[in-house]
Amino acid sequence: LWRTTGRGSLHPLDPRPVDGVPRKLRQTPNDFFRACGRVHAMAILHGCKLGRPLSRPFVRLLLNLKPKSLSELQAEFKHEAGDATDYRCREDFLQMPLEDLGLKGMLTFSNEKKEFLPGGAQIEVTDENKEEWLWHSLNYDLFESAEYAASWFRQGLIDVLGGQSKICPLLFLFAPEDLIDLWGSGAIGRQELTLWKSVSSTNPRIQQQANWFWQVLEEDFDDELRSKVLQFATGSSGIGRDGLSSFRLEPGDGGDGRLPTAMTCGNLLQLPRYSSRSVLKRQLQTAVESTGSFEML
């Protein structure tokens, strides 16, 4: 019922119908989205962090904060795209002719789920109407297709937190970014990794190990494993809306037989003088996956 965006966030699939999903699940997706809402409500009450963040468009739907302009839609789409590429992300999409983009005669006012306009499957997208098409396309992908899931997810929140008529008063206390941070920004993509690295400092005595550390994070670990490293070193699995203020790499005791250690109060990770990148990768992964956590995954 969920897909992962290019940024690593969770965004609901349109449940009507989905090939490959068991028949029983297709018939009652509302129960599953409602259950997800209840889990997220319990996470608020108990101060738990959930492993992977919800997409910002979906959280905006929960708060009834849908974009009112095409520029807002494009900003949301670019935010969730992360490292993924999509021609709708291109800043020059509205300026360049469709022929130059290689899209002339390729698009209509429909997708595999819906016609954006009556008879949209037969209406070709042209340079004259592509702005209208872009609005419909982005709005469906980010918001309209998720409205069903959002309505039942919100009901699950109300079941636990209170409210009525599909309104949960507690939600009005938060901005979308606040809720995302509250539930846990548990995935560290390349963009977040760049921000993390930009505020780091390294003791020159372990410069080689530090170089291997960043290489392992960038090339070997996925988003969730990076978030576990950040959790291990700082106590938080996400960068957060205000960013990470500092991060230090310092020498640790011993060599290949020792695991890294951390001081979360100072955002400090201590790396032993490992003899190779492969040893560092193995010991770092062992350390972060062996540490107990109250975070819900």
Side-chain angles (χ1 to χ4, degrees):
L1 292 176
W2 301 88
R3 66 179 174 89
T4 305
T5 70
R7 188 181 180 84
S9 306
L10 291 177
H11 192 76
L13 293 167
D14 188 341
R16 304 162 294 176
V18 182
D19 291 338
V21 177
R23 186 178 185 83
K24 183 178 179 182
L25 183 59
R26 276 211 301 254
Q27 293 173 342
T28 58
N30 54 308
D31 294 336
F32 292 89
F33 286 124
R34 190 171 185 172
C36 289
R38 290 171 177 169
V39 169
H40 280 71
M42 293 298 291
I44 291 176
L45 292 179
H46 294 281
C48 295
K49 293 284 188 178
L50 301 173
R52 187 177 288 274
L54 298 174
S55 72
R56 193 167 71 185
F58 183 66
V59 175
R60 288 186 64 160
L61 265 180
L62 296 177
L63 300 175
N64 295 309
L65 295 175
K66 293 177 64 174
K68 297 181 179 179
S69 67
L70 179 58
S71 61
E72 270 192 281
L73 273 175
Q74 287 180 302
E76 290 297 324
F77 191 73
K78 291 176 183 177
H79 175 80
E80 289 301 331
D83 294 328
T85 57
D86 189 301
Y87 58 85
R88 292 174 296 175
C89 280
R90 294 184 56 157
E91 295 183 1
D92 57 1
F93 176 77
L94 293 177
Q95 286 72 44
M96 289 185 65
L98 289 173
E99 186 171 4
D100 293 350
L101 293 168
L103 297 172
K104 186 177 173 117
M106 302 290 291
L107 306 172
T108 64
F109 275 75
S110 65
N111 60 21
E112 67 277 4
K113 291 277 188 178
K114 180 185 176 181
E115 289 187 330
F116 302 143
L117 299 173
Q122 282 71 50
I123 302 176
E124 182 180 332
V125 178
T126 66
D127 289 326
E128 289 71 30
N129 63 21
K130 66 180 178 181
E131 183 172 343
E132 181 184 5
W133 171 85
L134 185 59
W135 164 269
H136 285 294
S137 178
L138 295 181
N139 184 60
Y140 178 83
D141 282 359
L142 297 177
F143 292 94
E144 187 178 347
S145 64
E147 285 180 346
Y148 177 91
S151 67
W152 285 104
F153 190 102
R154 192 184 301 112
Q155 186 59 55
L157 294 173
I158 292 172
D159 291 342
V160 177
L161 302 175
Q164 58 184 349
S165 301
K166 298 185 178 181
I167 295 176
C168 182
L170 183 64
L171 294 184
F172 291 100
L173 299 176
F174 300 100
E177 292 82 1
D178 295 327
L179 268 181
I180 291 170
D181 289 343
L182 186 65
W183 281 322
S185 300
I188 302 295
R190 293 186 182 277
Q191 182 177 356
E192 289 79 13
L193 182 60
T194 299
L195 292 174
W196 179 3
K197 191 174 181 179
S198 70
V199 298
S200 71
S201 61
T202 300
N203 188 308
R205 289 183 291 166
I206 55 162
Q207 188 60 57
Q208 180 61 72
Q209 287 77 17
N211 293 340
W212 289 333
F213 171 78
W214 295 114
Q215 289 171 9
V216 165
L217 289 187
E218 183 172 1
E219 299 173 14
D220 300 334
F221 286 4
D222 60 16
D223 294 0
E224 291 191 58
L225 194 49
R226 292 186 199 117
S227 75
K228 290 183 179 181
V229 175
L230 185 64
Q231 173 89 30
F232 177 78
T234 70
S236 173
S237 62
I239 297 296
R241 66 181 301 183
D242 297 322
L244 184 68
S245 60
S246 65
F247 179 75
R248 289 189 295 154
L249 291 171
E250 293 286 345
D253 295 333
D256 290 354
R258 296 293 296 269
L259 297 177
T261 55
M263 297 178 61
T264 57
C265 59
N267 293 346
L268 185 151
L269 181 65
Q270 295 173 307
L271 295 174
R273 292 172 175 80
Y274 295 123
S275 61
S276 68
R277 170 175 161 173
S278 61
V279 172
L280 185 147
K281 174 186 174 182
R282 183 180 69 249
Q283 295 295 69
L284 179 61
Q285 187 167 351
T286 298
V288 302
E289 291 186 336
S290 300
T291 302
S293 171
F294 290 102
E295 179 174 275
M296 293 177 64
L297 296 177

